């Protein structure tokens, strides 16, 4: 296990959005890695059955009634499906959050050793990122690596890393068309690398296996873009992709870093991709608008916090995309609503965020 | 071995700059990979001893007298030391060039198989690059990989790849201060990835193990920045780093791609880094000027070829850096001189470039 300098276990919340009622095998598989940490489990408000969770964890479970109580029933709809996890981001009081989909298990590395995804994410976040110049040997702060010849010394201290995006073995995070075209394709390539995504390079950040510095960019991870036909399969959603664009722009603006690569998780096989095809094209078509919009976005210098940035972004979404598709106008509203929530819940944070 | 669609062996020149007289072990180690290809060996004009080259290769050797004959004795000084290889780039008539330092041997991958560096480079060059959006599963054109969810379909055809930068096992390409600080550090991490460096992200491109599309960007790989105390060790040079900045800017401007990652080569241990320390700081200090200069450089739309771009860059170097350090004024001159040479030698290209 790698050393995670200066980060204590109680600075980390693990947030699980429960889209499946029976979490027994999921939790048991993660037990060696999760048992030291506090867990926040949010039950998808649309899920009817009671959750099944094994003993032996330090955890709090939040259901629809908890969500309604904290944010009010008129707002709670933003937390359905995969977006339920954002409620966990909202009520956590910890510096770091790790979140993983409930259909993923711990992966093994190319030598067969169990991957400690929590430690790897925290190492990614606790060591500097290098967005202003590309290092060809990947993360220079990993053991055995360094800055290559030609890397300016003035940039070698790097910047704070705010977001760490992990990857997936077995079933990779493809969209439904790709999955339907190559139903047998599985990812077996373990790439032993972490790298900083360069400043102003846009990246499709998957929410499947992700960690972030909540204090730095928490408000920028938000439930905003909901497809009209959104379902309960990852490839039927783009909420995390939208959220990822937001947080990347915020990081670029605030001088923070985004890393991608390790750690991997093992992603179990999903359902029939062909059934999802009709729904997915909505998200695929929207990406053609979303990517150039975020690529050219510039935030005003007056925006100095993640909250400021999201408010400014919401204005731009409304102005530039609001008339393109109603889904964008709703996203802009949701972003503003989210920042109000974030501030309101934050004000209550001297006591525990939610009285259970 | 991977398939390299539509590239014939006779479209490739392998260019070796000979800084060491005895190439026997080098050539024999590479024989399984090199014997199908035409080789161009340029003897460092400063090297006194005769070259020792084993039999069994299709090759042409060029020495100081050949260089003098082609470019004239007043210009031939630009081809000393590591820069001798650029003479090979100049006289080649092939579409693709692979060049590797003569202290490198073929590497083995993490499973112990010999790495076919030539095929991997050509695959990198012959498949599209994706500079306009980052793919978290690295090169989507590799077997078993694809574009991840959220990647815009309109960007999935990619662009032509013009440059492929390989990496190094054992002795990595660090600068002398890093090498002196960590004399025992060796790179043993085999990262099984190729990725496109995003547009406008600057990268320190090493010339140790490199391939490129000569037709597309050949004129932008050039001998221009020569340190006053430049020696015969890689860490005493930045000529390739400068050249790499030039070619990255050209690629960004012309809509071409740059890839980095595989293939690795095995780099033999070098000399005493501490002895080089005094010299290297010159290059290290210059990088602090070079990087922001290239990061902010914008070329005019009228520059539509690599030659045009280099001429425009040379003007900017002279204007913006010429008064900072005489080394930059000389680099600007060398860039203009290089384009003249490139055009003149190109005009003679209906017949073989050099009558031996």
């Amino acid at each position: 296990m790698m050393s995670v300098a200066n980060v204590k276990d109680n600075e980390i919340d693990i947030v699980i959005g429960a889209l499946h009622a029976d979490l027994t095998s999921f939790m048991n598989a993660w037990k060696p890695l999760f048992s030291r940490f506090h867990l926040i489990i949010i039950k998808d408000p649309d899920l009817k059955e009671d959750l099944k969770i094994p003993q032996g964890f330090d955890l709090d479970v939040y259901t629809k009634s908890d969500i309604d109580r904290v944010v009010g029933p008129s707002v709670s709809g933003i937390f359905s499906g995969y977006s339920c996890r954002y409620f966990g981001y909202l009520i956590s009081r910890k510096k770091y959050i790790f979140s993983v989909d409930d259909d993923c298990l711990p992966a093994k590395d190319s030598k067969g050793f169990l991957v400690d995804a929590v430690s790897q994410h925290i190492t990614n976040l606790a060591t500097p990122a290098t967005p202003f110049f590309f290092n060809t040997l990947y993360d220079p702060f990993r053991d055995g690596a360094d800055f290559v010849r030609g890397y300016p010394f003035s940039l070698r201290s790097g910047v704070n890393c705010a977001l760490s995006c992990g990857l997936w073995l077995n079933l990779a995070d493809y969209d439904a068309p790709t999955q339907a075209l190559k139903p047998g394709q599985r990812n077996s390539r373990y790439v032993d690398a972490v790298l900083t995504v360069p400043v102003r390079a846009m990246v499709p950040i998957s929410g499947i296996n992700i960690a972030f510095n909540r204090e730095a960019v928490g408000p920028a991870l938000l439930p905003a873009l909901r497809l009209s036909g959104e379902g309960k399969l990852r490839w039927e959603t783009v909420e995390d992709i939208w959220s990822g664009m937001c947080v990347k722009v915020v990081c670029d603006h605030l001088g923070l870093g985004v890393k991608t690569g390790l750690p991997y998780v093992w992603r179990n096989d999903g359902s029939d991709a062909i059934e999802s095809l009709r729904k997915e094209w909505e998200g695929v078509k929207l990406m053609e608008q979303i990517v150039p919009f975020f690529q050219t976005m510039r935030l005003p210098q007056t925006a100095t916090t993640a909250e400021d940035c999201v408010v400014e972004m919401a204005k731009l979404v409304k102005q530039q995309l609001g008339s393109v598709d109603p889904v964008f106008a709703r996203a802009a509203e949701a972003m503003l609503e989210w920042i109000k929530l974030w501030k309101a819940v934050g004000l209550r944070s001297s006591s525990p965020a939610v009285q259970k």
Side-chain angles (χ1 to χ4, degrees), chain A:
Chain A
M1 192 183 301
M2 67 205 62
S3 65
V4 181
N6 300 324
V7 177
K8 298 194 186 76
D9 291 354
N10 67 6
E11 293 182 274
I12 301 163
D13 267 336
I14 296 174
V15 173
I16 308 297
L19 275 77
H20 301 88
D22 187 354
L23 296 179
T24 309
S25 59
F26 169 81
M27 296 289 282
N28 285 335
W30 283 101
K31 194 163 190 171
L33 304 175
F34 281 4
S35 56
R36 292 155 50 206
F37 300 99
H38 179 250
L39 275 73
I40 294 176
I41 296 182
I42 316 293
K43 185 186 174 194
D44 175 6
D46 303 337
L47 191 62
K48 300 299 175 210
E49 307 97 285
D50 286 341
L51 292 186
K52 287 178 68 174
I53 301 174
Q55 297 293 311
F57 295 89
D58 169 21
L59 59 80
D60 291 309
V61 177
Y62 299 93
T63 63
K64 184 170 190 307
S65 61
D66 300 307
I67 297 173
D68 285 347
R69 181 154 33 87
V70 172
V71 306
S74 66
V75 174
S76 66
I78 64 173
F79 295 115
S80 85
Y82 278 106
S83 293
C84 67
R85 71 173 60 198
Y86 293 100
F87 185 77
Y89 301 173
L90 182 70
I91 57 162
S92 169
R93 300 270 74 81
K94 302 292 176 65
K95 180 172 183 180
Y96 297 109
I97 284 181
F98 166 55
S99 187
V100 61
D101 278 8
D102 66 355
D103 58 355
C104 295
L105 300 178
K108 289 180 177 173
D109 67 17
S110 48
K111 288 174 184 150
F113 292 113
L114 191 72
V115 171
D116 186 344
V118 189
S119 290
Q120 180 67 55
H121 272 303
I122 298 302
T123 298
N124 293 350
L125 292 169
T127 52
T130 52
F132 301 118
F133 201 63
F134 189 87
N135 193 52
T136 51
L137 285 183
Y138 311 99
D139 184 349
F141 294 96
R142 283 190 81 191
D143 285 347
D146 213 316
F147 291 98
V148 300
R149 181 170 55 94
Y151 206 103
F153 275 64
S154 60
L155 295 178
R156 293 191 187 196
S157 51
V159 301
N160 288 331
C161 181
L163 184 70
S164 166
C165 311
L167 298 174
W168 335 274
L169 289 173
N170 194 42
L171 193 71
D173 189 13
Y174 298 129
D175 49 40
T178 304
Q179 201 66 56
L181 198 68
K182 302 179 176 178
Q185 177 145 315
R186 294 296 177 272
N187 186 32
S188 59
R189 184 175 290 126
Y190 186 91
V191 175
D192 186 17
V194 176
L195 59 91
T196 296
V197 183
V199 65
R200 302 239 175 272
M202 285 290 119
V203 50
I205 291 168
S206 166
I208 292 173
N209 167 22
I210 196 172
F212 57 98
N213 182 326
R214 188 184 175 281
E215 292 176 0
V217 295
L221 287 108
L222 39 72
L225 193 78
R226 180 178 297 278
L227 302 180
S228 53
E230 182 167 310
K232 303 291 181 185
L233 298 168
R234 262 293 175 210
W235 53 51
E236 296 175 354
T237 70
V238 289
E239 52 80 17
D240 53 342
I241 306 293
W242 176 274
S243 170
M245 297 268 159
C246 291
V247 72
K248 181 62 167 63
V249 169
V250 169
C251 285
D252 287 348
H253 180 76
L254 298 179
L256 301 168
V258 172
K259 293 183 187 173
T260 181
L262 301 183
Y264 284 89
V265 296
W266 181 270
R267 199 156 167 254
N268 281 323
D269 286 358
S271 313
D272 184 359
I274 295 169
E275 292 230 338
S276 301
L277 261 181
R278 187 185 54 79
K279 293 177 178 177
E280 174 65 18
W281 288 105
E282 184 188 356
V284 164
K285 278 186 286 184
L286 292 177
M287 290 311 299
E288 301 295 332
Q289 313 288 333
I290 291 170
V291 169
F293 169 71
F294 281 101
Q295 278 177 331
T296 55
M297 183 186 288
R298 294 294 177 270
L299 298 176
Q301 287 305 312
T302 49
T304 57
T305 65
E307 284 97 333
D308 294 346
C309 291
V310 173
V311 170
E312 293 297 331
M313 276 193 286
K315 290 182 200 166
L316 294 170
V317 173
K318 192 174 178 186
Q319 282 167 20
Q320 296 178 30
L321 294 181
S323 59
V324 174
D325 193 304
V327 73
F328 294 128
R330 288 193 294 269
E333 287 302 316
M335 291 164 77
L336 294 173
E337 192 66 48
W338 174 255
I339 294 302
K340 282 183 205 158
L341 272 179
W342 192 271
K343 289 179 174 171
V345 174
L347 282 177
R348 294 174 232 160
S349 70
S350 52
S351 57
V354 180
Q355 303 294 342
K356 299 276 305 180

